Amino acid sequence: MSRDVEVLADLLVVGGGLGGVAAALTAARLGRRVVLTEETDWLGGQLTAQAVPSDEHPWIETEHISAGYRDLRHRIRDYYRRNYPLRPEAAGNPTLNPGLGNVSRLCHEPRVGVAVIDELLMPYISAGRIRVLYENVPVAAETDGDRITSVTTENRRTGVRTTVSARLVADATELGDLLELAGVEHVVGAESQEETGERYAAPVADPTDQQAITWCFPLEYRPGEDHVIDRPASYDHWKTHVDPFWPGPQLSWEKIDIHTMSGRVNHIFEGDMDAVRLPDLWHFRRIRARSQFDPALIDTDISLVNWPNTDYWEAPLVGAGVDAEARERALRRCKELSLSYLYWMQTEAPRHDDGHGYPGLRLRPDLTDTEDGLAKHVYVRESRRIKARFTVLEQHVSVTDRPDGTGSEVFRDAVGVGHYNIDLHPSTAGINYVNLECYPFQIPLGALVPVRLRNLLPANKNIGTTHITNGCYRLHPVEWSIGEAVGALAAFCLDHGTEPHAVADSTSLTEDLQGLLTTALGVPVAWPDEIRRTRPSQAGKGATPVLAPPLPRVPTA
């Protein structure tokens, strides 16, 4: 007897990252039945399974974020207050940052994010509105004309296949897997300047030009102890090989300074570990600061290694010629790079107090729930992207392209807001960093609507952006807002007997959708003008610094 099963749903969300979770949660809140699939056994994507502390913007603690994302952040802080032995001053801090990391106002352990997301979904799972299929990957999609009729996923552990038929389907996978399976028109890699008119686009379209991936891992430091791992097989390669655009071997403290695009030395420790803010690697993504907890139980920091020298740019994960074997090879090499960097830090790295090596650096596999101590999933910065009814360009958001101070483009069909710099890491085509300051921006509905498919919606890094603007639409709060917009749009279409294209074509329907988002869900769809026109470098404490224009691509005249 076949163990395969068939399921019906109002909305199928394939991919359980932040966008997928937000889409499922929003649709369920609006009364719809959702099937949510996830390839690992953790929901949360880049926040949890990929172990990346949230990258956010200067207004993240204000009313100018969605109520849903605000609730997520509040629950994470409350989880620490309810379950951890915080010192009184930390427990009483309304903007508690458990790790005191430099990268964000809320740096926390990935397992806490998992617990909070599970807590958020549990009432809807209990009510039967959300069904989660863990360890499931999409393997097939059936279409009828311009519609997806069903998607089949396979359990990676048991081999059981589940075919889900749903009126609307959201691709929230990390790599835009459904776009390929369902034959959805999409883009891979970099578009050309001729195609987009972007000053920092590639001179010629290059599908192999995809941002580096990173296999992240948490570390604690126990001086005087020996936690040195086995020497990775490819260690000598990473120790000696030098890419043309990098200042030296990746196994070093030297990296590219995105302010100057030249080499810069950045050590792991540069002073008192208990300091609130130091410009070293340890404090950069610290996710647990021991100074905030009762030392009788918690006596070490935890720092999350997602540092420039662990970026893997040898080979892409998607595109023509990248078969399953090539993808697995790239993922394996990425893991070996991360482990090689750890081994180098433990054994050969120049120390801050002379000598070499920090053997007391210790992996924490219990914090990632993996055998090797690395994150469950590789950190993905760039995906396949739909060919959308509207594509967000550099010219819509970049300060460099909008020097008159008018702020970002105003999208009348906006369904969310976000902000981050255009932040492109070194790529698989050998292109160095591209980092451009951006104004706070909106998420246009047109970027969520494919040019052809009538019932597919993108809900991750696969929306209608370019290779360039993906660099600012790919971060945690923006992905969450994309998911909220998709969940609300799906519920709205089902309630009104319509479809996404019709909503996008109708001013009145778009305004009704915007009303649902703002009134019922507390999702802002526009920035106040004074913020929209503000360069983040002028926004005060914690703002993004002004960055020098990137050097690898010279703007066209």
Side-chain angles (χ1 to χ4, degrees):
M1 176 185 291
S2 172
R3 301 168 61 198
D4 297 347
V5 296
E6 295 184 0
V7 179
L8 298 175
D10 294 325
L11 172 66
L12 167 64
V13 180
V14 183
L18 287 176
V21 167
L25 186 60
T26 302
R29 282 173 171 163
L30 294 172
R32 290 298 163 177
R33 292 179 302 112
V34 183
V35 171
L36 172 63
T37 75
E38 163 55 30
E39 63 178 292
T40 72
D41 57 355
W42 279 10
L43 295 172
Q46 59 180 321
L47 187 70
T48 59
Q50 297 172 35
V52 181
S54 53
D55 286 297
E56 299 174 329
H57 56 70
W59 300 276
I60 203 68
E61 300 286 4
T62 72
E63 71 274 18
H64 303 300
I65 64 168
S66 79
Y69 193 71
R70 187 183 304 116
D71 184 41
L72 174 70
R73 299 174 87 253
H74 170 77
R75 286 171 182 259
I76 289 170
R77 286 173 168 145
D78 187 56
Y79 189 95
Y80 277 92
R81 293 189 182 103
R82 288 187 288 113
N83 297 289
Y84 279 65
L86 288 166
R87 293 186 177 184
E89 59 273 22
N93 184 354
T95 57
L96 170 67
N97 186 349
L100 296 176
N102 296 342
V103 76
S104 172
R105 291 174 172 86
L106 185 59
C107 292
H108 59 88
E109 297 165 59
R111 293 194 80 132
V112 173
V114 177
V116 168
I117 288 171
D118 288 347
E119 181 180 81
L120 275 169
L121 266 58
M122 190 53 64
Y124 301 96
I125 293 172
S126 177
R129 288 193 186 176
I130 295 179
R131 177 177 178 180
V132 183
L133 303 178
Y134 291 99
E135 298 182 87
N136 268 250
V137 295
V139 293
E142 295 294 327
T143 60
D144 182 5
D146 294 338
R147 302 186 67 83
I148 295 176
T149 56
S150 68
V151 175
T152 300
T153 64
E154 182 176 278
N155 187 290
R156 305 175 72 163
R157 184 170 40 83
T158 67
V160 173
R161 292 195 167 197
T162 302
T163 298
V164 183
S165 298
R167 293 164 66 184
L168 287 159
V169 178
D171 181 352
T173 60
E174 295 300 322
L175 292 169
D177 295 330
L178 275 188
L179 305 186
E180 185 169 273
L181 285 174
V184 182
E185 291 80 0
H186 64 276
V187 180
V188 175
E191 299 89 346
S192 69
Q193 291 177 340
E194 182 179 359
E195 288 177 88
T196 68
E198 295 170 310
R199 297 200 294 172
Y200 289 97
V204 178
D206 187 354
T208 70
D209 189 353
Q210 300 169 32
Q211 284 200 68
I213 57 175
T214 305
W215 220 301
C216 307
F217 56 94
L219 282 180
E220 65 180 356
Y221 181 47
R222 293 188 171 275
E225 297 182 9
D226 186 349
H227 299 285
V228 176
I229 63 171
D230 293 338
R231 181 186 176 100
S234 58
Y235 180 75
D236 287 339
H237 167 79
W238 305 112
K239 183 180 175 182
T240 59
H241 175 75
V242 179
D243 282 290
F245 59 85
W246 203 250
Q250 285 185 256
L251 304 191
S252 73
W253 295 134
E254 194 168 18
K255 65 171 188 174
I256 291 290
D257 186 330
I258 59 175
H259 298 262
T260 64
M261 297 303 294
S262 60
R264 172 190 169 191
V265 172
N266 197 186
H267 290 280
I268 187 172
F269 301 122
E270 293 184 2
D272 182 6
M273 288 182 63
D274 290 332
V276 173
R277 186 178 293 269
L278 282 176
D280 60 17
L281 291 171
W282 190 257
H283 287 75
F284 181 46
R285 293 187 186 271
R286 185 170 59 174
I287 58 175
R288 191 182 75 196
R290 63 182 180 179
S291 61
Q292 301 205 92
F293 302 89
D294 181 350
L297 181 63
I298 294 177
D299 61 352
T300 64
D301 285 358
I302 301 290
S303 190
L304 195 285
V305 178
N306 173 22
W307 303 337
N309 293 56
T310 56
D311 281 3
Y312 173 81
W313 52 67
E314 276 189 338
L317 293 185
V318 298
V322 183
D323 57 16
E325 182 179 350
R327 184 177 298 112
E328 287 304 313
R329 182 169 59 250
L331 292 172
R332 183 175 65 252
R333 294 280 289 176
C334 181
K335 273 195 174 186
E336 289 177 358
L337 169 58
S338 288
L339 292 171
S340 292
Y341 197 72
L342 171 59
Y343 182 80
W344 174 81
M345 289 193 294
Q346 292 173 324
T347 60
E348 297 189 59
R351 290 177 57 96
H352 66 295
D353 55 1
D354 298 326
H356 291 82
Y358 296 93
L361 291 173
R362 179 191 178 202
L363 279 169
R364 288 295 304 268
D366 51 322
L367 299 185
T368 55
D369 192 29
T370 59
E371 291 185 4
D372 59 13
L374 305 185
K376 283 181 179 287
H377 193 285
V378 70
Y379 177 33
V380 175
R381 295 183 176 89
E382 184 170 345
S383 166
R384 303 174 181 92
R385 303 180 299 280
I386 64 165
K387 289 188 176 181
R389 296 277 292 270
F390 180 83
T391 302
V392 182
L393 305 175
E394 174 190 327
Q395 300 92 297
H396 296 132
V397 297
S398 167
V399 171
T400 300
D401 291 85
R402 305 175 71 85
D404 55 2
T406 57
S408 59
E409 188 79 15
V410 174
F411 298 124
R412 299 302 177 189
D413 65 342
V415 289
V417 297
H419 177 260
Y420 204 72
N421 273 8
I422 289 174
D423 178 21
L424 305 184
H425 282 233
S427 83
T428 52
I431 305 298
N432 211 330
Y433 283 101
V434 175
N435 202 299
L436 296 171
E437 189 181 21
C438 288
Y439 291 109
F441 52 74
Q442 296 170 295
I443 302 165
L445 175 60
L448 307 183
V449 180
V451 291
R452 181 179 61 85
L453 265 286
R454 312 296 291 185
N455 69 332
L456 173 79
L457 296 167
N460 199 316
K461 302 174 185 72
N462 52 351
I463 69 170
T465 57
T466 64
H467 172 70
I468 299 294
T469 53
N470 164 72
C472 60
Y473 277 77
R474 66 179 175 82
L475 285 306
H476 302 66
V478 187
E479 184 186 336
W480 180 274
S481 293
I482 290 167
E484 284 184 317
V486 165
L489 177 58
F492 182 88
C493 288
L494 294 170
D495 288 346
H496 291 80
T498 187
E499 58 185 19
H501 285 75
V503 177
D505 287 337
S506 167
T507 299
S508 63
L509 288 177
T510 297
E511 290 175 349
D512 289 345
L513 172 64
Q514 291 171 324
L516 174 67
L517 285 162
T518 57
T519 303
L521 299 171
V523 176
V525 300
W527 293 99
D529 276 350
E530 63 271 19
I531 293 180
R532 183 180 61 82
R533 295 171 179 166
T534 300
R535 295 177 61 165
S537 56
Q538 302 167 348
K541 184 179 178 181
T544 307
V546 178
L547 301 175
L551 301 180
R553 292 179 178 151
V554 179
T556 56

